[in-house]
Amino acid sequence: MKHVRHFTPSLFLSLVHVCLVQANYAPYFFDNGARSTNGNMALLSLSEDTPVGTHVYTLNGTDPEGDPVTYDLTYEAGSRRYFSVDKNLGNVTLIEELDREKEDEIEVIVSISDGLSTVSEKVRILVMDANDESPEFINTPYIVEVPENTPSSSSIFKIEAVDKDTGSGGSITYFLQNIHANKFTIDRHSGVLRIKTGVTLDYEKSRTHFVVVVAKDGGGKLRGDNKVFSATTTVTINVEDVQDTPPMFIGTPYYGYVYEDTLAGSEVLTVVALDGDRGKPNSIHYCIVNGDEGSFEISNTTGAISVIKSPNQLKKEVYELKVQASEVSQEGDISEHTFAVVTIRVVDLNNHPPTFYGENGPQNRFELTMYEHPPEGEILRGLKITVNDSDQGANAKFNLRLVGPGGIFRVVPQTVLNEAQVTIIVENSASIDYEKFKVLTFKLLAIEVNTPEKFSSTADIVIRLLDTNDNVPKFSSDYYIARIPENSPGGSNVVAVTATDPDSGLWGEIKYSIYGTGADLFLIHPSTGIIYTQPWAVLDAEVNSKYNFYVKAEDTDGKYSLAEVFITVLDVNDHSPEFNENIQEKTMIIGSPVKIEAIDQDAEEPNNIVDYSIMQADPANVFDIDQSTGEIKLKSYIRSLDIIHNITKNKDCIWSLVVQAKDRGSPSFSTTAVLKIDITEETLHKGPMAAFLMQTKDNPMKALGVLAGVMGIMVLITIMISTAMFWRNKRSNKIMPVRRIIKKRQIPPSRTVRMEWLKFKRPSNAAEKFVVEDDVKSLHNENSNNNIQVTPVPPMAPLPPPPPALAPRSDAPGWRVPTVSGSLTPKHTIKPPKKKGHGSAHNALVSELKMRFEKRNAATGEPHI
C-alpha cells in the first residue's frame, strides 16, 4: 500500500492534477542480512587477501511501480575507490588490493535509482586480517658486550620483534639457528638471550660470537593456504677480556733452519710469547726445557734461539726444542707458563724468495684503521699477515723489518725460518699522533739472511689514524703583558689571549676563564679570549698601577692550561701640582737662594715632573728662578741692600712674587701662589757656625742649646789639657836647648784675625819658642789657664821648659775649637757684630807676642809663620 508521508506543495500540485499524473514511489534495497551476498552491502566483510577482480557482492533492490532500477557506488572525497558496480545488474567487483594493516574499514555510498528517484545509503565494509605480514626486529643492529667471566645461565640481552597481523598471525616465538653449535640459548616467548647452562666464555679462544635469531609468527590463512612467516637477525656478542689466561706463543708453529755456512753463535729464529691477558701484560721469561742436545741456546728476555755449534758438528738433521715461556710478575715471581715446540732443520737449498700472504692469498698491501696513541706493546690485530719461504733450512731464513718512521712499531719475529705469522707491535705510542700523521705508511721488508741470492720481497702497510682528545690547550705565550690608560671607560678591551688545541671537532674547542686576586676588575670572553674591564671598573694609576692574574684555557673534556697576565695601568695627567707647604713668606739673605717646592700626585713621568716660573714680580727683573729645583735668587748684579734700595723705595725689602708650578703632562696643569720674600743682608761673621745660626734664627732655643753644648766641651778639653801640662812640668828636671825644641815642632798654619782670640786659648806654638825669655815667661806659663783674659803683668821667674818628649808631635793634629763667625741676633733685625768682643788687653798681648816672634825669626833665619 502506498501512502503520502508529507504534505508538500509538490504533492498538492500532484493532487490537483491527479486526474492527469499518477504518483511515483522511490525504489529501495533489499536488506538480506550480514551473511547475504546480495542486497545493500550492509555488514559486508572481506578478507584482505581477496584477489583484485573478484565478484564480491550483488546490489539488489526494486521499485514499487516495477520500473527498472540502476545501481551506483560513490565515495567521499579523497577516499580510495576499491569497488566498481555494474549499473544494471548490480554486480560489485574488487578493483583495488586490500590491506588491513593500512585500512581496516571502507566506507561506500550505494545508490539505487528508478530514473526519477534515487535512494542512497552509506555502508561500511570490514576488511578482515590475513596472515600476510612477517615479523620485524626492532632496535637493530644488536651488539652486546659480555665479560668472559659472566656465569653460565646468565641473561645477557633481550631481543624484540613485532608482527602487524592479528591473532595467531601476530604472535611471535623465538629460536636460534644452530642451537647445538653455539654457546647461547633464547627464551622462545620473551626473547631473552642467555648463556647456556654449563658453558663459559673465553676471550682468548673467541672474542666475538655471532648468533642468528629467528622470529616466527603463529601462522594463518593467506589466499586459502595456511602460511607461516619468519624473520632472522644476527646478534654480535663481543667478549671482554679478564685476567685469567697464561702466556701464549704467537707465530707458531716455529721452524728454524741451519745452513752449512752458518757460523756458531748465529741466531736461528726468535720465538715470541705474550701474556694472554692483554689488559696489563707481564713480561715473558724464555728457556729451553729439552731437545737442544747442547747445540742451541735461547735468550731469556728476547726469545732468540741461536746455534752454538758449527753445522758440521750437528749430528741430527732435525732438532725439536721444547721452549717454555713463563710470565714474570712485577714483583719478579715466575707464575704461569706455556710451552712451544721449535723445529730446527739443517738444509742448504735456496730457490724461493719470501712471500707475503693475506687471508685470501698472496698480498702486497695491507691496510688498517685505528685510534691514535694505542697502548705500548699492543698488537695490531687487524693486520693478518703471513710470510713464507718455501725453501728449507738456512735458505728459508730471512729477516723482517719495517722501513718508515723509526721507533713507532716493531715487527715480530725479526728472524723467520720458513714461515711465520707477522705481528706488528706498538713501540712508541706518543709518535702515533693524529695531529702529526693522518696516515702512517711503512714498507714491510723480508730479506734472506745468509743466502748469496739475498732474495727479498716487500709489502705496503698503510695505517689510517682516528683522532682522540689527547692534547691540552696551549697558550701562544706563558704570559701576556698589556697596558691600558687609567681613563679608559668600563668595558674597554685590554688584551686578547690565544690558545690552540690541535684536536679535531669538539675536542678542539676552547673556553677561556680568568681567576686570581688581581682579576676582580676584568672579564674575559669565553670563546674569543678578549680580556676587557668590568663595566663598572674605574682604573687609577695612582691607587694601583699593576694587576696580574691567571687565564685558563679549557677544552670540552676539562683539559686545561694556564698563562699569567700582567696589566699596567698607564698614568694620565689628571692631577695639578700642589705646593707642599705654606709658601706665603720666605726670608732671603743676599747671595743665598730660597726654595719653593710643589708635588704632583700623578704616578709617572713626565706627568709628575714640575717646572717653576715667576709669573709676576714688582719690580720686575729682580729675581731669577731655577726651572727644575724651584730655587729663587736675586739677579747676579744685586749684591747688597744698597742696590735694592736704589731699585725700589720699599725700605723694608719685602716683595711679592706670583710663582707658578706647572707639570709636563699633556695637557699640562699648573698652580700659582703668591710668595712674599723678606730680603736681608748677610752678617759679617762667616763660617759653619754663622751658617748654622742663620739656619736656626727662627728657632733660638735650638741655637742656644747647641752653643751651650760647644762651650761645655771646650771647658772640659781645657781642663784636661791643663792637667796634662801640669803633670808634664812636674816630671821635668832640666831645661832642654831651645833650638832643639823648635826643630822637632811643626808650625801650625796661620789663623785669620777673627779667630786669634781662639788661638790664645790654646797653647801657643809661637810663644813656646820664647820660653827662655823673661817677658814671655811672665805672660804665659805652661800650667796656666789660657782662657783667662787679663792685662799684661810684670815678668816673673821663668819655669823650666817642658822636656822634648812632651813637645807636640808632627803627625798629631792640633787641638781645634769650632769657630763662630757671627753672633745670635734677634729674628727681626740683623746688625754687624761689635769688634771689641775680647777686650783691648787681650789684643795688645797678641800683637806683642807676634812682633817679638817675627824679630826672633829674623835673627835666627827661620821662616816666618
Side-chain angles (χ1 to χ4, degrees), residues 514-523 531-534 536 539 544 546-550 564-567 569:
I514 59 176
Y515 65 93
T517 57
D520 297 340
L521 298 182
F522 303 92
L523 296 173
I531 298 175
Y532 56 95
T533 58
Q534 293 271 13
W536 46 264
L539 302 178
N544 189 359
K546 302 291 183 182
Y547 296 89
N548 76 290
F549 49 85
Y550 290 94
E564 194 166 3
V565 178
F566 298 89
I567 297 177
V569 180

Side-chain angles (χ1 to χ4, degrees), residues 685-729:
H685 298 288
K686 297 181 180 179
M689 183 59 71
F692 171 77
L693 293 175
M694 293 302 299
Q695 291 176 1
T696 58
K697 69 176 183 176
D698 295 331
N699 190 357
M701 295 305 297
K702 179 179 179 181
L704 291 175
V706 173
L707 195 58
V710 171
M711 294 292 291
I713 294 173
M714 292 174 60
V715 170
L716 180 62
I717 293 174
T718 302
I719 294 173
M720 293 175 64
I721 293 175
S722 300
T723 303
M725 293 177 64
F726 170 77
W727 285 106
R728 184 186 66 177
N729 293 335

